[in-house]
């Protein structure tokens, strides 16, 4: 099914009148008579606080990479590969649980409180990990951190989408990926002295508690999502938050746009309702996007890059730095281009770039015939793959899904689709080395490349462009298309 946005744009009467006459709408005047777009400066501080969740996600994803050997030696499970694997991967289990409940939490207590709730297990989990003297304590701490990692990012995607002016929503959405990259890089830098300073790994975990605490406190001064307040029937409060985010000149037009949303009947949407009826198609697209993102092989690259680089003679430290720079560079470029080229073009082009890069790795795996050239193809292909991923396949799904989901189902639908992300992530990470052993790198990388081509075709056929559109314009267009 292909959806296209309706080109007609409407401007409503002031919000209080719109609440009384919800079906009255008048054509928007020509752009020359319209009020200038809202300033991005007013919403920027709120977005920056929200992206601390993504920084923490990146930090905790990379915090055990360097210190794992020291942790296992100090806690008495050195050489136990199963225990070491659990320390790394138990976060995925916690993240799945946290993500699954994130929609209900965000709808139940609001976006701001959901951020604070997600920070709590990250603070407690980091402290337990830093203080523990046993494997069990480390696993408990990492599991708690994982629940926060699962709960926070879906709420961040919701919050940033709902509070951002349409003209910069794509740019702000890219902050999530940039913050994640910075978190990974900081984790690698903080972990550098771990082999020279005794028990430095405990400091690595204590550092993680700082941004989590900062976010929990700073959220007290941030705006609540007007979309959520309106959904709860708190219209006056929604107007106050719009004034804080957009300025007083844009409150009436923002509330008028908001009144075009699908009416909420006051009852909570159940997860089962997302699998049938009018919302199934859009939820299906979101779930498939996240599944394809993970089936592209990106996390096999992130998790096992050091192994691959060492196999071609490249030191692990240089590999990690190169991967971090490539990821961050692509994310910055995506931030600049997101509101210029649009989501669909970046996403489709990103998957095609990943397909080409994975093809290079498949060719480079044939060392018998290529000799030293295979090293350049393997390393270059991996760096190009990460760069291509960060240009679109990384940042766009988390931004696009809250845009295309109606306000009524947005929180739960995002949670459901991101849960698919964690499930596929787990199985790809679990099976990658086994498949690499059974199929060989050429076949496996060719499969990943094929998935990327399929993903690009899927995007072109089924994903709509949302650049510069208000959330209500997108929602109305989708409902008209069904």
């Amino acid at each position: 099914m292909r959806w296209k946005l309706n080109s007609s744009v409407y401007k409503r009467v002031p919000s209080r009148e719109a609440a009384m006459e919800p079906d009255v709408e008048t054509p928007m005047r020509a752009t020359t008579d319209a009020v200038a777009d809202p300033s991005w400066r007013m919403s920027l501080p709120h977005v920056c606080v929200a992206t601390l969740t993504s920084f923490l996600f990146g930090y905790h994803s990379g915090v055990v990479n360097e210190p794992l050997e020291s942790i296992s030696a100090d806690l008495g499970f050195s050489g136990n590969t199963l225990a070491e694997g659990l320390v790394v991967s138990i976060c995925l289990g916690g993240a799945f649980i946290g993500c699954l409940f994130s929609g209900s939490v965000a709808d139940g207590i609001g976006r701001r409180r959901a951020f604070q709730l997600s920070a709590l297990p990250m603070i407690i989990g980091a402290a337990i990990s830093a203080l523990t003297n046993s494997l069990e304590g480390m696993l408990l701490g990492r599991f708690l951190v994982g629940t926060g990692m699962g709960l926070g990012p879906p709420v961040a995607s919701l919050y940033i989408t709902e509070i951002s002016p349409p003209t910069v929503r794509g740019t702000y959405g890219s902050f999530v990926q940039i913050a994640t990259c910075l978190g990974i890089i900081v984790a690698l830098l903080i972990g550098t002295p771990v082999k020279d300073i005794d028990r430095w790994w405990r400091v690595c975990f204590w550092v993680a508690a700082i941004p989590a605490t900062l976010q929990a406190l700073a959220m007290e001064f941030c705006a609540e999502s007007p979309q959520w307040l309106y959904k709860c029937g708190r219209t006056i409060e929604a107007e106050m938050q719009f004034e804080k985010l957009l300025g007083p000149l844009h409150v009436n037009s923002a509330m008028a746009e908001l009144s075009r949303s699908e009416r909420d009947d006051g009852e909570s949407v159940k997860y089962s309702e997302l699998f049938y009826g009018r919302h199934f198609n859009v939820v299906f697209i979101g779930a498939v996007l996240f599944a394809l993102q993970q089936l592209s092989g990106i996390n096999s690259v992130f998790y096992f890059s050091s192994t691959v680089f060492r196999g071609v003679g490249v030191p692990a430290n240089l590999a990690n730095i190169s991967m971090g720079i490539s990821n961050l560079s692509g994310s910055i470029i995506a931030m600049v281009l997101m509101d210029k080229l649009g989501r669909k073009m970046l996403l489709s082009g990103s998957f095609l770039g990943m397909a080409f890069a994975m093809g290079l790795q498949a060719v480079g795996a044939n060392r018998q015939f290529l000799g030293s050239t295979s090293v350049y193809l393997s390393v270059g292909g991996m760096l190009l793959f990460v760069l291509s991923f960060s240009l679109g396949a990384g940042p766009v799904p988390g931004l696009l899904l809250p845009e295309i989901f109606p306000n009524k189902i947005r929180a739960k639908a995002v949670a459901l689709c991101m849960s698919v992300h964690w499930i596929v992530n787990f199985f790809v990470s679990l099976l990658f080395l086994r498949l690499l052993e059974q199929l060989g790198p050429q076949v496996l990388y060719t499969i990943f490349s094929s998935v990327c081509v399929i993903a690009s075709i899927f995007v072109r056929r089924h994903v709509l462009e949302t650049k510069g559109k208000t959330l209500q314009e997108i929602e109305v267009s989708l409902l008209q298309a069904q």
Side-chain angles (χ1 to χ4, degrees):
M1 178 179 182
R2 184 181 298 180
W3 284 321
K4 293 184 179 179
L5 287 173
N6 193 323
S7 60
S8 61
V9 181
Y10 296 96
K11 184 174 182 180
R12 287 182 160 264
V13 294
S15 57
R16 289 181 178 84
E17 298 175 23
M20 298 171 61
E21 302 284 348
D23 294 320
V24 177
E25 59 184 26
T26 57
M28 181 179 284
R29 292 174 298 179
T31 54
T32 54
D33 298 329
V35 179
D37 292 327
S39 172
W40 53 268
R41 294 179 178 85
M42 299 185 71
S43 53
L44 179 60
H46 309 271
V47 171
C48 291
V49 173
T51 53
L52 283 173
T53 288
S54 302
F55 176 87
L56 284 162
F57 177 85
Y59 186 91
H60 282 293
S61 296
V63 71
V64 297
N65 286 359
E66 289 294 326
L68 185 58
E69 185 178 336
S70 299
I71 293 172
S72 60
D74 286 349
L75 299 186
F77 58 92
S78 181
N80 186 339
T81 55
L82 176 60
E84 291 177 352
L86 279 173
V87 170
V88 175
S89 62
I90 196 169
C91 274
L92 296 178
F96 172 72
I97 294 175
C99 184
L100 201 58
F101 286 98
S102 63
S104 300
V105 171
D107 273 346
I109 63 177
R111 309 333 187 202
R112 289 170 61 241
R113 297 298 178 226
F115 275 120
Q116 292 174 320
L117 184 62
S118 73
L120 186 61
M122 296 184 111
I123 296 170
I124 297 174
I128 292 175
S129 299
L131 293 171
T132 188
N133 291 309
S134 66
L135 171 61
E136 292 76 14
M138 178 59 67
L139 294 178
L140 174 61
R142 293 285 289 166
F143 181 81
L144 288 174
V145 164
T147 59
M149 288 172 61
L151 175 58
V155 179
S157 294
L158 285 172
Y159 184 75
I160 292 172
T161 297
E162 292 175 343
I163 70 169
S164 301
T167 53
V168 293
R169 194 168 58 234
T171 301
Y172 283 170
S174 301
F175 284 12
V176 170
Q177 183 74 8
I178 293 175
T180 303
C181 297
L182 290 175
I184 295 172
I185 292 172
V186 170
L188 293 174
L189 293 176
I190 294 292
T192 301
V194 72
K195 294 180 181 178
D196 301 320
I197 303 177
D198 187 40
R199 301 197 174 188
W200 180 259
W201 61 268
R202 297 185 185 274
V203 175
C204 297
F205 286 112
W206 279 122
V207 168
I210 298 173
T213 304
L214 180 61
Q215 183 181 49
L217 296 175
M219 265 297 154
E220 280 297 315
F221 305 97
C222 289
E224 181 54 271
S225 163
Q227 311 275 341
W228 178 74
L229 291 170
Y230 181 83
K231 180 181 176 182
C232 296
R234 296 157 63 176
T235 307
I236 302 300
E237 293 177 64
E239 291 180 347
M240 294 170 61
Q241 300 307 305
F242 269 134
E243 184 172 354
K244 184 185 293 187
L245 294 166
L246 306 177
L249 294 178
H250 299 277
V251 172
N252 285 342
S253 59
M255 288 299 298
E257 275 293 332
L258 194 54
S259 67
R260 298 174 65 196
S261 300
E262 182 183 9
R263 289 293 179 269
D264 193 343
D265 56 13
E267 296 182 5
S268 177
V269 176
K270 299 177 181 179
Y271 278 105
S272 59
E273 295 179 46
L274 304 180
F275 293 97
Y276 61 86
R278 66 192 307 185
H279 299 304
F280 172 76
N281 285 325
V282 69
V283 173
F284 174 76
I285 288 176
V288 170
L289 269 183
F290 269 118
L292 290 172
Q293 181 198 63
Q294 297 305 304
L295 290 172
S296 69
I298 182 59
N299 279 310
S300 65
V301 170
F302 278 134
Y303 293 154
F304 304 107
S305 59
S306 298
T307 302
V308 175
F309 275 110
R310 278 197 300 268
V312 295
V314 178
N317 287 339
L318 179 60
N320 290 332
I321 293 172
S322 300
M323 293 278 284
I325 292 174
S326 182
N327 198 6
L328 181 60
S329 300
S331 300
I332 293 173
I333 295 171
M335 177 189 70
V336 175
L337 297 179
M338 191 73 73
D339 285 312
K340 295 180 179 179
L341 297 181
R343 287 58 150 160
K344 186 171 183 175
M345 182 178 292
L346 280 180
L347 190 57
S348 177
S350 172
F351 277 122
L352 285 179
M354 291 163 67
F356 175 74
M358 194 60 80
L360 288 181
Q361 293 183 68
V363 174
N366 193 343
R367 301 178 196 172
Q368 182 178 353
F369 296 100
L370 295 176
S372 60
T373 306
S374 67
V375 175
Y376 298 103
L377 288 175
S378 296
V379 173
M382 187 167 288
L383 294 178
L384 179 60
F385 186 85
V386 173
L387 177 67
S388 300
F389 173 82
S390 60
L391 284 172
V396 171
L399 165 66
L400 182 69
L401 299 196
E403 289 182 319
I404 66 175
F405 291 143
N407 192 27
K408 181 177 181 179
I409 68 165
R410 185 173 294 133
K412 288 186 172 65
V414 168
L416 178 65
C417 293
M418 287 196 174
S419 296
V420 171
H421 160 275
W422 285 112
I423 293 172
V424 181
N425 181 350
F426 172 78
F427 282 106
V428 170
S429 305
L430 178 68
L431 299 175
F432 173 73
L433 290 179
R434 183 64 181 270
L435 291 173
L436 189 63
E437 181 183 272
Q438 296 291 323
L439 301 177
Q442 285 184 299
V443 174
L444 184 57
Y445 293 160
T446 300
I447 293 173
F448 284 148
S449 180
S450 301
V451 170
C452 292
V453 173
I454 293 170
S456 181
I457 295 172
F458 180 84
V459 169
R460 288 181 178 275
R461 289 180 58 86
H462 297 289
V463 173
L464 58 86
E465 182 54 69
T466 59
K467 179 186 69 172
K469 305 295 182 181
T470 68
L471 298 180
Q472 285 64 51
E473 289 170 17
I474 298 168
E475 180 175 340
V476 169
S477 296
L478 287 176
L479 292 176
Q480 288 175 348
Q482 292 178 352

